[in-house]
Amino acid sequence: MNAVNVGLLGLGTVGQGVVGILQRNANEISRRAGREISVTHAAVRDLGKSRPVELNAVTLTDNVSDVVNSDVDIVVELMGGTELAKDSVLEAISRGKHIVTANKALIAIHGNEIFQAALDNGVIVSFEPAVAGGIPIIKAIREGLTANRITRVAGIINGTGNFILTEMRDKGRSFEDALADAQALGYAEADPTFDVEGIDAAHKLTILSSIAFGIPLQFDAVHTEGISTIASQDVAYAEELGYRIKHLGVTTETPAGIEIRVHPTLIPERRLIANVNGVMNAVLVQSDAVGSTLYYGPGAGAEPTGSSVVADLVDVVRTFTTDPENRVPHLAFQPDLLSDKPVLTSDQFECAFYLRLLAEDRAGVMADVTRILADQKISIESLLQKEPIDDQNAVPVVILTHQVKEAAMNTAIEKIEKLDSILAPVARIRVESLD
Ligand code: NAP
Ligand code: HSE
């Protein structure tokens, strides 16, 4: 049978990973797919750039339309960004090409439109590499857990952020040094603020939430906080209390609606996910039939991500001949049966909290603070007063609360910060027991 021809839009970190895997494992891959898979065309921005992969059989261009309009069967979008990527993917779909993409921003923001276009044109849009790099999490949720009612998905889903937090905690490195390494290793986004401010994780969580709960993609409704504000003293106090701080994406179905949130989180150090370090990612899925399952692996990098791209290519090749009506739905649920359950805003979330206060070292201060918390029905799990700060009449106080409505916590913090005895803004980090 003829080879399946593939065109790449982008030959950077991931594109080169894909070419390397397809060449090295060509025999294994064609035995699995039933067809040989060859990259015949690729678009890049700079034709003069040297690329350490064998490209003799590939027609290179700096015009994406050349690839989209070529005779390739599958277009693999690996450029990043949302505008050109969206236009080229829609153009390729209109020409009957199947799509594989690693671009989570594209799917999170334009996925609803792209999937509709794919349905109209009878083609597949595959996006395993867009979430958690080399971990086959999309396949696990969309297919492996299809018997279950999923209640929650929580994960470390940005490799760069986890790499930075690990380097800072284990090696005492600065934020900037660790980020520079993540960039050199090819983990970071073109704009690394996407990694450190949680935007990349929010793109991925948008996708996970949709395939877990069968809701349309709603990136604008995700509550997003980054890691750039985490203070080293909070990392140290969290450890003393038996917790690790991780940048977590959490999406939960509650009776009132769906929470979709990305933020730094204290996790008990005994949980497996608290011990996921470096560029590794992990996704915990809680569901009714199987219980909790945890998926772990490299969350970024050329070949881990390339592995997911090639897996999608093989899946697409295997389904070439299936009736479009009988393919796995893009968002796991049949497109006409998606739910309109609302996505909750942050003041509707329910969470436990870690609070750090800088308080004047005198009698009565803690009574004022605990009264404010009690007035808001916030119950304290533990309270630690730390050593006074040198030559200041100030003590850091750390409080862990039980689960509380965020609106109540916002009110309490506002009142605590107005006390004369509180000398700095209150630091707060959400706590997830993940049990
Ligand atoms: P990258 O190294 O920056 O590569 C981007 C590629 O796209 C380059 O080859 C670039 O050409 C090409 N390109 C950019 N603009 C173009 C244009 N206007 N016309 C033609 N070609 C253009 O990025 P990457 O790390 O491989 O990431 C690619 C995608 O995968 C992104 O969506 C990213 O979020 C996603 N992703 C990355 C990872 C990872 O670990 N890196 C993991 C999962 C998902 P030049 O080479 O000539 O500059
Ligand atoms: N920049 C992303 C990360 C790439 O570090 O997780 C993988 O999606």
Side-chain angles (χ1 to χ4, degrees):
M1 213 181 284
N2 288 345
V4 173
N5 292 338
V6 171
L8 304 185
L9 306 181
L11 251 181
T13 302
V14 182
Q16 289 174 35
V18 171
V19 171
I21 293 170
L22 284 173
Q23 286 167 353
R24 190 174 69 243
N25 295 340
N27 188 35
E28 290 287 297
I29 292 164
S30 62
R31 280 174 59 213
R32 288 181 171 126
R35 304 267 295 268
E36 196 187 318
I37 299 178
S38 337
V39 175
T40 55
H41 294 73
V44 294
R45 197 168 23 199
D46 177 1
L47 284 168
K49 208 183 254 185
S50 93
R51 298 173 204 272
V53 279
E54 168 59 59
L55 294 171
N56 284 342
V58 181
T59 304
L60 270 188
T61 171
D62 57 7
N63 183 350
V64 295
S65 290
D66 293 346
V67 177
V68 169
N69 292 306
S70 68
D71 62 354
V72 296
D73 306 289
I74 307 173
V75 169
V76 183
E77 188 280 304
L78 302 171
M79 293 183 293
T82 46
E83 296 319 310
L84 180 62
K86 176 188 169 198
D87 293 346
S88 5
V89 161
L90 287 176
E91 192 186 342
I93 289 172
S94 72
R95 293 182 187 287
K97 317 282 186 198
H98 300 283
I99 306 292
V100 175
T101 179
N103 190 336
K104 49 271 167 156
L106 177 71
I107 297 298
I109 296 169
H110 298 299
N112 296 321
E113 181 184 348
I114 288 171
F115 296 151
Q116 187 55 54
L119 283 179
D120 295 344
N121 287 275
V123 299
I124 301 166
V125 175
S126 263
F127 50 92
E128 183 70 70
V131 183
I135 307 175
I137 188 65
I138 303 293
K139 198 165 193 73
I141 295 178
R142 257 187 357 186
E143 297 175 52
L145 296 177
T146 205
N148 289 260
R149 187 174 64 77
I150 294 173
T151 47
R152 166 180 273 212
V153 180
I156 296 170
I157 48 178
N158 182 268
T160 301
N162 203 40
F163 177 85
I164 293 171
L165 288 178
T166 307
E167 293 287 298
M168 287 171 71
R169 187 175 67 92
D170 293 356
K171 302 184 188 157
R173 300 184 67 198
S174 72
F175 184 93
E176 292 73 22
D177 272 5
L179 171 59
D181 259 16
Q183 289 180 288
L185 289 162
Y187 303 154
E189 294 304 297
D191 175 356
T193 57
F194 276 49
D195 297 292
V196 298
E197 295 308 337
I199 302 161
D200 177 74
H203 289 143
K204 294 166 178 164
L205 193 65
T206 303
I207 299 170
L208 289 177
S209 189
S210 286
I211 63 169
F213 305 124
I215 55 171
L217 295 152
Q218 294 168 73
F219 170 67
D220 289 342
V222 183
H223 175 82
T224 308
E225 296 173 27
I227 56 170
S228 56
T229 53
I230 297 177
S232 54
Q233 53 194 321
D234 293 323
V235 176
Y237 294 158
E239 298 242 339
E240 278 179 42
L241 291 161
Y243 290 85
R244 297 267 165 82
I245 299 183
K246 291 289 180 188
H247 199 197
L248 211 64
V250 186
T251 181
T252 310
E253 182 163 25
T254 76
I258 293 172
E259 294 187 359
I260 318 180
R261 47 190 169 89
V262 173
H263 46 72
T265 312
L266 265 74
I267 306 173
E269 68 189 1
R270 62 184 182 281
R271 299 269 177 258
L272 283 173
I273 204 166
N275 296 284
V276 169
N277 293 319
V279 74
M280 303 309 269
N281 280 190
V283 182
L284 171 72
V285 184
Q286 294 174 331
S287 51
D288 66 343
V290 68
S292 291
T293 53
L294 182 67
Y295 307 85
Y296 169 84
E303 290 220 346
T305 313
S307 164
S308 289
V309 173
V310 173
D312 269 0
L313 282 171
V314 171
D315 251 9
V316 172
V317 171
R318 284 171 175 159
T319 47
F320 268 170
T321 50
T322 55
D323 168 3
E325 300 285 310
N326 292 318
R327 290 175 182 156
V328 178
H330 291 110
L331 292 178
F333 293 73
Q334 295 300 328
D336 55 343
L337 296 176
L338 293 184
S339 151
D340 57 3
K341 198 158 191 184
V343 175
L344 301 179
T345 54
S346 65
D347 56 347
Q348 297 172 292
F349 296 166
E350 271 191 53
C351 243
F353 278 88
Y354 158 103
L355 306 177
R356 176 173 49 80
L357 288 62
L358 187 62
E360 219 176 296
D361 193 8
R362 65 171 164 81
V365 173
M366 288 324 298
D368 291 341
V369 169
T370 51
R371 196 188 53 252
I372 292 174
L373 292 174
D375 286 349
Q376 293 303 319
K377 302 197 169 27
I378 297 171
S379 138
I380 295 175
E381 185 186 301
S382 59
L383 187 151
L384 290 178
Q385 184 166 322
K386 309 301 296 178
E387 291 302 304
I389 293 182
D390 291 347
D391 63 32
Q392 285 179 38
N393 186 30
V395 282
V397 175
V398 172
I399 299 173
L400 286 183
T401 75
H402 288 290
Q403 193 102 339
V404 54
K405 273 249 189 279
E406 277 211 34
M409 182 53 81
N410 294 340
T411 308
I413 288 177
E414 205 178 299
K415 291 189 172 171
I416 291 171
E417 287 178 339
K418 283 191 180 136
L419 294 172
D420 292 342
S421 52
I422 299 299
L423 308 171
V426 175
R428 65 158 138 189
I429 307 177
R430 293 177 187 82
V431 182
E432 289 287 348
S433 61
L434 297 182
D435 52 8

